[in-house]
Amino acid sequence: SYDLTQPPSVSVSPGQTASITCSGDKLGDKSACWYQQKPGQAPVLVIYQDTKRPSGIPERFSGSNSGNTATLTISGTQAMDEADYYCQAWDSSTGVFGGGTRLTVL
Amino acid sequence: EVQLVQSGTEVKKPGESLKISCKGSGYSFTNYWIGWVRQMPGKGLEWMGMMYPGDSDTRYSPSFQGQVTMSADKSISTAYLQWSSLKASDTAMYYCARQVWNYVGGHYYYNGMDVWGQGTTVTVSS
């Protein structure tokens, strides 16, 4: 089975840049998505096709994907960005999520 | 407004059957895949599988193959996830979500799960 690995936690100070990585074999050859989930809420799509933002997602969210690593970057991180973040990709017609990263803004 | 509305909280006993629902509105229900995602208490997201309501094509994650059944009634724009015999380990939040692909230049590009239901809490306990 295909595995995606994320760091369990990332901390960032308000106004700074947060980077969350997602690693998988030849992930750069696949299309990566990122979801934000706040406590008690359903996930929200924040990045698709590696770099694209859905309508309504702030410009401070950006993505990249190359080699074995996809990265979600949040520039000028705000307190409201504190949440769990999950990457997702496809392998052999199966959707796979990473284990999730808790972003703490402190 | 495009939305998915899921059925309410369920409390069941081990061995019982269950069918939860996910009703779509505001878009052409038959033209988009519906995916199901499990989130066990305090844990991450797990992709269970997906169904295309237009022709009932269904794909399951190997981890969930044989454990659940996905179906849909396109006449009422509703997708279903069902269990024939619940286990305590099925206790979780279950989400449905619209999955989007674009076909461009001979290739399919995955655009993610762009609309999510509010989730259905399933508790299985004796």
Side-chain angles (χ1 to χ4, degrees):
Chain A
S1 64
Y2 190 76
D3 293 324
L4 293 174
T5 301
Q6 298 181 233
S9 62
V10 169
S11 297
V12 64
S13 300
Q16 298 306 301
T17 296
S19 295
I20 300 173
T21 59
C22 174
S23 299
D25 186 47
K26 297 180 182 177
L27 180 56
D29 293 341
K30 308 179 191 298
S31 180
C33 300
W34 290 91
Y35 302 88
Q36 176 194 68
Q37 187 181 34
K38 296 182 179 179
Q41 298 183 19
V44 173
L45 179 68
V46 294
I47 293 289
Y48 67 98
Q49 281 189 41
D50 301 332
T51 61
K52 297 181 179 180
R53 279 179 292 104
S55 174
I57 300 303
E59 290 184 8
R60 63 180 182 274
F61 288 87
S62 63
S64 63
N65 186 13
S66 178
N68 294 322
T69 304
T71 303
L72 173 68
T73 301
I74 309 172
S75 305
T77 306
Q78 301 182 11
M80 68 173 64
D81 301 327
E82 189 163 281
D84 293 328
Y85 291 85
Y86 297 90
C87 60
Q88 185 195 26
W90 285 87
D91 182 72
S92 302
S93 300
T94 299
V96 180
F97 284 103
T101 298
R102 176 149 299 175
L103 177 67
T104 302
V105 183
L106 42 68
Chain B
E1 179 192 6
V2 177
Q3 60 179 351
L4 295 171
V5 177
Q6 297 185 232
S7 49
T9 299
E10 300 278 0
V11 180
K12 292 289 192 178
K13 291 181 172 17
E16 292 185 333
S17 63
L18 175 64
K19 192 174 189 178
I20 63 175
S21 66
C22 168
K23 183 174 177 59
S25 62
Y27 74 99
S28 179
F29 186 74
T30 54
N31 288 350
Y32 292 84
W33 291 82
I34 291 289
W36 289 93
V37 175
R38 182 176 79 175
Q39 188 167 37
M40 300 177 77
K43 302 298 183 183
L45 305 177
E46 299 174 88
W47 187 82
M48 302 175 70
M50 61 185 182
M51 157 165 272
Y52 191 74
D55 62 6
S56 296
D57 188 3
T58 309
R59 317 283 175 85
Y60 293 96
S61 164
S63 300
F64 291 93
Q65 180 81 47
Q67 308 304 307
V68 296
T69 301
M70 297 173 190
S71 62
D73 184 342
K74 57 187 180 183
S75 70
I76 55 172
S77 300
T78 300
Y80 301 98
L81 180 66
Q82 68 182 83
W83 295 258
S84 59
S85 181
L86 287 160
K87 302 184 284 290
S89 57
D90 293 317
T91 294
M93 176 74 83
Y94 293 88
Y95 293 101
C96 64
R98 189 176 78 166
Q99 298 193 177
V100 183
W101 278 270
N102 276 355
Y103 186 71
V104 178
H107 296 279
Y108 281 99
Y109 295 91
Y110 181 56
N111 284 3
M113 306 175 93
D114 69 339
V115 179
W116 291 68
Q118 82 277 20
T120 295
T121 300
V122 174
T123 302
V124 183
S125 174
S126 55

